[in-house]
Amino acid sequence: MSKIILVTGGARSGKSGFAESLCREQNNSTAYIATSVAFDDEMKERVRKHQESRPKEWKTYEIYKDIYKIIKELGEKHQTVILDCITLLVNNLMFVDGIDIDKASEQEINDLEAYIKDQVKKLIEEVKRTDLYFVMVTNEIGLGVVPSYKLGRVYCDFVGRINQMLGRLSDEVYFTVCGIPTKIKG
């Protein structure tokens, strides 16, 4: 039976470090799902630092779309999986079809959100079919000012609703602030 853990918090709150420590404690074969796309030098440097922080024996999978399709395979090769992070996954999925959010109709935005929710729902369904210890990292972006531009508002809405869904579906949820994780569910 799987165990699903969600780790959330603000930027630089210690989320990834805490999530990685949960996986290290399992002391077994860990897969790392990296959802970022290194599109510029600054992002490449962030990716490099993340790579250096995790154990060398962890196997990295760089993927953000249709992750659910590899979960069965991961469950056969690993006991633990960390997915870092949901917010980048949502961001990347928002632009898969090249929709211009600023010009998109309400229906197009609703369809896009349904597509992203379906991707995440299928992921969780596949994880629940395994015995994986599955840790996801996400950003709690709803604690700040609502963006003044449409793309930012839509992104915050999508991430907020995906985080709510994942919170409901997870066995444990941690909120991290100032490097201190606090269990809020489980």
Side-chain angles (χ1 to χ4, degrees):
M1 181 173 191
S2 66
K3 183 167 189 174
I4 300 173
I5 300 167
L6 180 66
V7 178
T8 189
R12 305 295 163 257
S13 64
K15 304 176 303 292
S16 293
F18 174 67
E20 289 173 10
S21 74
L22 290 174
C23 294
R24 278 190 197 97
E25 288 173 6
Q26 296 303 303
N27 198 26
N28 59 30
S29 175
T30 298
Y32 190 103
I33 299 174
T35 63
S36 71
V37 176
F39 50 85
D40 63 20
D41 289 340
E42 186 264 341
M43 194 63 173
K44 288 175 185 172
E45 181 63 15
R46 286 175 182 258
V47 168
R48 187 190 64 73
K49 286 180 181 177
H50 266 274
Q51 289 169 337
E52 287 179 355
S53 74
R54 49 188 189 254
K56 301 295 182 227
E57 66 272 10
W58 288 7
K59 171 81 172 136
T60 299
Y61 298 81
E62 294 180 358
I63 183 172
Y64 66 85
K65 183 179 177 190
D66 298 333
I67 297 172
Y68 65 92
K69 291 181 179 180
I70 68 165
I71 295 300
K72 183 178 179 186
E73 173 190 339
L74 294 182
E76 292 168 356
K77 295 179 179 180
H78 305 278
Q79 292 90 32
T80 300
V81 174
I82 181 171
L83 187 156
D84 196 354
C85 80
I86 294 295
T87 42
L88 284 173
L89 180 146
V90 170
N91 178 77
N92 294 335
L93 291 175
M94 284 178 68
F95 299 104
V96 164
D97 289 330
I99 294 173
D100 183 345
I101 299 293
D102 289 324
K103 296 178 183 173
S105 69
E106 201 60 36
Q107 186 58 53
E108 289 172 312
I109 290 171
N110 290 341
D111 291 346
L112 180 58
E113 183 175 10
Y115 163 72
I116 294 169
K117 282 183 176 177
D118 186 59
Q119 287 274 311
V120 174
K121 182 177 163 243
K122 286 178 179 175
L123 169 65
I124 298 301
E125 287 171 352
E126 286 301 313
V127 170
K128 287 187 175 191
R129 290 186 180 104
T130 70
D131 291 326
L132 286 169
Y133 184 88
F134 194 82
V135 181
M136 299 173 289
V137 178
T138 192
N139 286 278
E140 189 56 51
I141 63 173
L143 297 174
V145 176
V146 175
S148 60
Y149 52 98
K150 186 176 180 180
L151 174 60
R153 289 190 303 274
V154 169
Y155 177 69
C156 286
D157 289 348
F158 285 6
V159 171
R161 288 191 282 265
I162 293 293
N163 284 350
Q164 288 178 48
M165 180 175 76
L166 290 173
R168 284 190 303 275
L169 296 172
S170 295
D171 300 303
E172 294 178 7
V173 180
Y174 292 86
F175 183 71
T176 307
V177 64
C178 298
I180 302 168
T182 302
K183 187 185 252 187
I184 59 174
K185 179 184 178 182

